[in-house]
């Protein structure tokens, strides 16, 4: 039985925040903070992003609120109601609560009838994990109206008052680079996809041909993490005498080991080559290559690696991302990219799409192949 994405929704809180207003929301940390902001944003290419906090650093929407908003918008564009949802697969990197699972909160706030739920936790790849769960359940005939969603609310973790008592690691009192640059890279938002066993009667639906998720954690070091002061994995924040002491030591800050990022590019291209060699897709047949990446510089690195390996890659004009306008929303990015493409009428019947979502957590790479079909087509 095939499975189709028949409707999508996104929820981007507030108005777009331009680069020169970022510190009006998250504040400044360390004497070199503003200089670091310019350097980071020049490299990544982000011009605007969205925050679920205001300039007083008060939370306006919870992470759950963002996910619910995206789901409601997807359902509004579909032929079902909330009462028809039979699965909610919800993804995030940082849920509102440690327990219960994120999907429980989403289901509770959505207020839909009893249904199956799935919480997928991770960093960027968790959104693809949720989508694959919905896809497989529909293909297996278990569900008919499955919702997959991904949501991130990172701004409240990056507020300057969270770093007041964190031990400085440089002479000028600035926090570690692997923490500081993420304050300017990440933003808030959510996306949702309705997955059904038949295409929508009108408009464009996306048939899910396959989804591939591959972890390289068995051979790779942790790159992006939270819950420890370093990536050795030897001391969790739970091993400190108190949460306050863990926070002071920087164990509750999100970090990324910048030195490991080039390796993610090589792994991403390696996975691309594996799927290409297996005949899973034809680059020449692709109409679009929607890709989640953290910076325009990373995109250039991927293109150079493909060229270096002499692979048939998607041409530059087929790449699509809205990173510069909405920022890096982690697991929700690929949903928001696809939602925008559908809403703007960029996808036509017969178009083939190859999605790419790399994750720097402990290195995982996801790809998905989609085919656009017109209303009612099977």
């Amino acid at each position: 039985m095939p499975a189709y994405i028949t409707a999508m929704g996104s929820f981007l809180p507030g108005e777009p925040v331009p680069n020169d207003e970022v510190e009006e929301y998250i504040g400044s940390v360390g004497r070199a903070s503003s200089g670091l902001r310019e350097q980071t944003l020049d490299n990544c290419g982000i011009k605007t992003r969205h925050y679920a906090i205001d300039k007083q650093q008060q939370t306006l929407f919870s992470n759950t609120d963002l996910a619910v908003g995206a789901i409601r918008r997807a359902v509004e564009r579909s032929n079902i109601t909330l009462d028809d949802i039979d699965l909610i697969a919800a993804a995030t990197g940082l849920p509102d609560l440690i327990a219960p699972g994120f999907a429980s909160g989403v289901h509770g706030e959505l207020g839909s009838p009893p249904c199956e739920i799935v919480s997928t936790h991770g960093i960027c790849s968790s959104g693809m994990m949720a989508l694959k769960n919905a896809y497989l359940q529909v293909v297996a005939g278990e569900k008919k109206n499955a919702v997959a969603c991904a949501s991130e609310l990172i701004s409240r973790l990056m507020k300057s008052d969270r770093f007041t008592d964190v031990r400085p690691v440089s002479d000028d009192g600035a926090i570690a680079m692997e923490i500081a640059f993420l304050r300017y890279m990440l933003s808030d938002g959510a996306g949702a996809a309705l997955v059904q066993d038949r295409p929508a009667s009108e408009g464009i639906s996306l048939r899910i041909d396959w989804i591939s998720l591959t972890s390289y954690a068995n051979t790779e070091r942790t790159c992006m993490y939270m819950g420890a002061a370093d990536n050795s994995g030897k001391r969790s924040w739970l091993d400190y005498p108190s949460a306050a002491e863990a926070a002071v030591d920087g164990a509750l800050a999100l970090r990324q080991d910048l030195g490991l990022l080039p390796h993610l590019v090589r792994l991403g291209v390696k996975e691309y080559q594996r799927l290409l060699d297996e005949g899973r897709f034809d680059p020449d047949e692709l109409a679009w290559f929607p890709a989640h990446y953290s910076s325009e510089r990373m995109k250039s690195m991927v293109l150079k690696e493909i060229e270096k390996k002499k692979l048939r890659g998607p041409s530059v004009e087929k790449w699509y991302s809205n990173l510069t306008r909405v920022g890096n929303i982690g697991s929700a990015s690929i949903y928001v990219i696809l939602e925008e493409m559908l809403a703007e009428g960029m996808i036509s019947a017969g178009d083939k799409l190859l999605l790419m979502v790399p994750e720097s957590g402990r290195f995982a790479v996801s790809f998905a192949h989609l085919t656009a079909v017109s209303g009612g087509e099977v």
Side-chain angles (χ1 to χ4, degrees):
M1 180 181 296
Y4 303 84
I5 297 174
T6 57
M8 298 198 72
S10 67
F11 190 94
L12 300 173
E15 295 298 319
V17 177
N19 290 348
D20 58 3
E21 293 183 16
V22 166
E23 288 176 348
E24 295 181 27
Y25 287 82
I26 63 173
S28 179
V29 179
R31 289 192 288 274
S33 184
S34 295
L36 176 62
R37 180 195 69 195
E38 298 305 318
Q39 177 185 349
T40 300
L41 295 174
D42 283 346
N43 284 334
C44 72
I46 297 172
K47 305 299 181 186
T48 57
R49 79 285 295 141
H50 292 260
Y51 289 139
I53 62 173
D54 60 20
K55 292 184 179 181
Q56 288 71 49
Q57 299 191 346
Q58 299 299 305
T59 301
L60 303 178
F61 301 94
S62 69
N63 200 3
T64 302
D65 291 336
L66 300 180
V68 168
I71 292 172
R72 288 187 181 278
R73 290 181 180 179
V75 170
E76 287 169 2
R77 294 170 170 170
S78 76
N79 61 352
I80 70 166
T81 68
L82 293 178
D83 291 348
D84 299 312
I85 295 174
D86 48 20
L87 170 71
I88 299 172
T92 189
L94 189 63
D96 297 313
L97 302 176
I98 296 174
F102 185 54
S104 290
V106 172
H107 183 210
E109 291 304 312
L110 191 62
S112 57
C115 68
E116 185 173 345
I117 60 170
V118 176
S119 298
T120 60
H121 177 66
I123 305 179
C124 301
S125 63
S126 62
M128 292 292 277
M129 293 174 190
L131 182 60
K132 185 163 187 176
N133 192 288
Y135 155 63
L136 291 178
Q137 293 231 33
V138 170
V139 167
E142 286 282 325
K143 302 292 183 291
K144 292 184 178 298
N145 304 303
V147 169
C149 67
S151 181
E152 302 291 357
L153 201 175
I154 201 69
S155 59
R156 58 187 176 188
L157 182 68
M158 300 300 182
K159 298 185 295 185
S160 55
D161 58 10
R162 292 201 176 277
F163 300 93
T164 302
D165 298 320
V166 174
R167 293 191 182 102
V169 294
S170 62
D171 294 338
D172 67 354
I175 57 175
M177 177 66 172
E178 66 264 23
I179 300 173
F181 91 100
L182 289 172
R183 300 184 70 240
Y184 305 110
M185 288 279 291
L186 304 175
S187 54
D188 305 335
L194 173 61
V195 182
Q196 297 180 286
D197 59 358
R198 64 184 64 83
S201 58
E202 298 179 356
I204 294 294
S205 295
L206 300 173
R207 188 183 70 227
I208 303 174
D209 300 316
W210 52 261
I211 299 176
S212 170
L213 299 100
T214 305
S215 166
Y216 288 90
N218 61 317
T219 59
E220 306 304 320
R221 293 170 54 200
T222 303
C223 176
M224 191 171 186
Y225 58 99
M226 178 183 172
D230 60 52
N231 61 354
S232 67
K234 296 184 182 303
R235 192 184 190 194
S236 162
W237 71 277
L238 291 167
D239 294 319
Y240 288 81
S242 68
E245 291 180 65
V248 169
D249 202 32
L252 297 183
L254 184 65
R255 301 167 181 261
Q256 189 174 57
D257 187 334
L258 293 169
L260 296 177
L261 284 179
H263 195 44
L264 176 60
V265 172
R266 292 190 290 273
L267 286 176
V269 174
K270 175 182 177 181
E271 189 66 10
Y272 174 92
Q273 182 176 7
R274 180 183 72 82
L275 295 167
L276 179 62
D277 291 345
E278 291 177 359
R280 304 290 294 277
F281 67 95
D282 184 343
D284 297 332
E285 293 181 353
L286 297 176
W288 292 105
F289 186 65
H292 164 56
Y293 47 83
S294 60
S295 73
E296 292 297 321
R297 184 168 175 267
M298 291 288 287
K299 174 184 175 181
S300 299
M301 292 169 68
V302 170
L303 288 168
K304 287 180 180 178
E305 184 70 10
I306 289 176
E307 182 179 0
K308 175 183 174 182
K309 288 185 171 294
K310 295 181 171 54
L311 299 175
R312 289 192 301 136
S315 56
V316 176
E317 64 270 15
K318 294 180 180 180
W319 283 63
Y320 191 79
S321 170
N322 50 18
L323 173 75
T324 59
R325 288 176 282 106
V326 305
N328 181 350
I329 324 175
S331 66
S333 289
I334 198 66
Y335 288 75
V336 176
I337 289 170
L338 274 181
E339 187 277 338
E340 180 176 287
M341 295 179 74
L342 287 170
E344 296 296 322
M346 298 174 61
I347 303 173
S348 303
D351 284 355
K352 296 182 183 299
L353 297 78
L354 182 67
L355 280 56
M356 180 180 73
V357 181
E359 180 192 298
S360 65
R362 194 162 176 173
F363 296 125
V365 184
S366 303
F367 284 92
H369 192 275
L370 312 177
T371 300
V373 299
S374 58
E377 181 182 336
V378 293

